[in-house]
Amino acid sequence: MVNKEYQIIARNYELAGRASSDIKRTLRALSADSYFVKRVCSASYEAEINIVIHSVGGYATFQLDDHQVILEFFDDGPGIIDIPLAMTEGYSTATEQDHSNGFGAGMGLSNIKRSSDIMEIDSNPEGTHLKLTFFMNGEHHEN
Ligand SMILES: Nc1ncnc2c1ncn2[C@@H]1O[C@H](COP(=O)(O)OP(=O)(O)OP(=O)(O)O)[C@@H](O)[C@H]1O
Ligand SMILES: [Mg+2]
């Protein structure tokens, strides 16, 4: 049983990815299957970077038990106005600066959906809440 929390700071590119790296380290130390680690960490990285580049900041929680990993991401806005549009591959509101940092292909949310077993997203101007569930055993069907 693991329960961790990570602060995510807006526009801090130096710390961006820190939560995902720790999650990767933790899962590897527990000898989790490498495909499982890969899909948890790629989703986690995309969600973490989204908070860094698109929000005013937030935090993530990581819960692990014998059967599943649950990742939750909370930020303090400005929220996603149109979730189906934001989920569309290639749609991005990233700035020139984000692009020069290598972000903004508009693929993050669709990759998260593909990597996770359950993706729940709630958003309003006060903030976005993303909850991702990954089942350890059994087959993963790419959504
Ligand atoms: N936490 C968030 N807060 C506000 N808007 C968000 C958030 N996450 C995503 N979005 C919006 O959804 C769009 C699509 O997100 P997605 O992660 O798919 O692509 P991207 O971040 O623009 O580019 P990429 O992830 O490929 O680097 C973003 O451009 C942004 O407008
Ligand atoms: Mg993104």
Side-chain angles (χ1 to χ4, degrees):
M1 196 70 199
V2 174
N3 229 309
K4 292 189 174 205
E5 190 172 315
Y6 311 91
Q7 195 189 352
I8 303 172
I9 302 164
R11 326 254 159 248
N12 189 324
Y13 299 99
E14 228 150 273
L15 295 181
R18 195 184 46 155
S20 306
S21 301
D22 188 73
I23 290 166
K24 184 188 271 180
R25 217 170 11 251
T26 306
L27 289 172
R28 282 194 177 150
L30 294 164
S31 315
D33 164 76
S34 68
Y35 175 61
F36 183 78
V37 176
K38 198 171 165 193
R39 61 192 186 90
V40 171
C41 292
S42 60
S44 162
Y45 182 74
E46 295 292 351
E48 183 178 0
I49 297 296
N50 277 354
I51 294 182
V52 173
I53 72 174
H54 301 300
S55 89
V56 299
Y59 67 98
T61 63
F62 167 44
Q63 289 172 68
L64 163 77
D65 66 26
D66 292 343
H67 309 287
Q68 63 188 19
V69 163
I70 296 176
L71 298 180
E72 291 190 82
F73 296 85
F74 301 88
D75 69 52
D76 292 318
I80 302 173
I81 296 166
D82 184 338
I83 293 174
L85 179 62
M87 295 285 308
T88 308
E89 292 190 6
Y91 175 82
S92 178
T93 58
T95 62
E96 269 316 306
Q97 202 210 326
D98 297 328
H99 285 286
S100 65
N101 285 317
F103 307 121
M107 295 302 292
L109 290 174
S110 46
N111 285 335
I112 291 169
K113 183 156 201 310
R114 206 168 294 125
S115 306
S116 58
D117 292 304
I118 306 172
M119 175 184 189
E120 295 159 274
I121 183 163
D122 270 312
S123 191
N124 64 55
E126 259 84 79
T128 298
H129 173 207
L130 176 66
K131 180 176 177 184
L132 305 175
T133 306
F134 304 84
F135 300 121
M136 265 182 206
N137 300 310
E139 270 171 59
H140 170 64
H141 299 285
E142 299 211 334
N143 296 303

